[in-house]
Structure formats: C-alpha cells, structure tokens
Amino acid sequence: MHKHCYLDTGCVGEIFAESVALLPVILAVVVLDPSPSIYRAAIAHAKIDPTLADILAYYNTPLEALPPRLPAGQYDILTLLEVIGHLAHPSPFL
C-alpha cells in the first residue's frame, strides 16, 4: 500500500493534522503555521500522544518558507485550512 506525505498549512492548533497522522495511509505529516502561539499549542498537544512523534513535523514558518521536501520526494496531499481567508489577494497564491 502506498503511504502518503501530507502538508498542512495553517495548522489551527493541531487538531486536523493529528487526526490525519493517525490514518494508516499516511507516512508523514508536515505542518506549517506562522503564528508562534499556535505553533507552541500544537507542539504541546502533540506530546500527549507519543506515537505521533515519528509522523508529525511542525514548523513555525509561513508557506513561503516551505521546509525541504520529505525523503519520499513530494507531498501527495495539501490543505490550506484557515489560510486563504487571511490573504488580501488570494488569486496569485492559488
């Protein structure tokens, strides 16, 4: 079974990314959020379930500073929850 690499931008605290990380078809989840307070909350919450440590990687950075690709090469799934609504001009972004 092919496992997917998932990129979640605007992690909104962690809830969605952690749920995705628990799916058996997910190899890795990279989570980006530029807000330091949301990033800290996500890191703290992820520590509740130590099984997520090898799957989840949180970055306190905007999408423009995307970290290097995962060893698998690319992201198969991307979500932009709570991101597009905060952009003054979303068309160029899309």
Side-chain angles (χ1 to χ4, degrees):
M1 167 177 41
H2 174 73
K3 292 198 171 198
H4 301 281
C5 295
Y6 173 82
L7 175 63
D8 181 21
T9 61
C11 71
V12 194
E14 82 288 312
I15 297 167
F16 190 75
E18 287 184 15
S19 297
V20 169
L22 295 172
L23 296 172
V25 297
I26 298 298
L27 174 67
V29 178
V30 172
V31 185
L32 309 178
D33 201 295
S35 167
S37 62
I38 291 175
Y39 170 77
R40 286 190 302 271
I43 292 292
H45 194 271
K47 290 179 182 177
I48 294 171
D49 186 349
T51 64
L52 297 175
D54 293 335
I55 301 169
L56 277 172
Y58 286 101
Y59 294 90
N60 183 208
T61 185
L63 181 59
E64 297 85 0
L66 187 64
R69 298 273 185 206
L70 294 170
Q74 67 180 13
Y75 299 103
D76 302 300
I77 304 164
L78 165 68
T79 54
L80 300 165
L81 303 174
E82 301 294 325
V83 172
I84 295 173
H86 294 281
L87 299 175
H89 305 285
S91 294
F93 177 77
L94 296 171

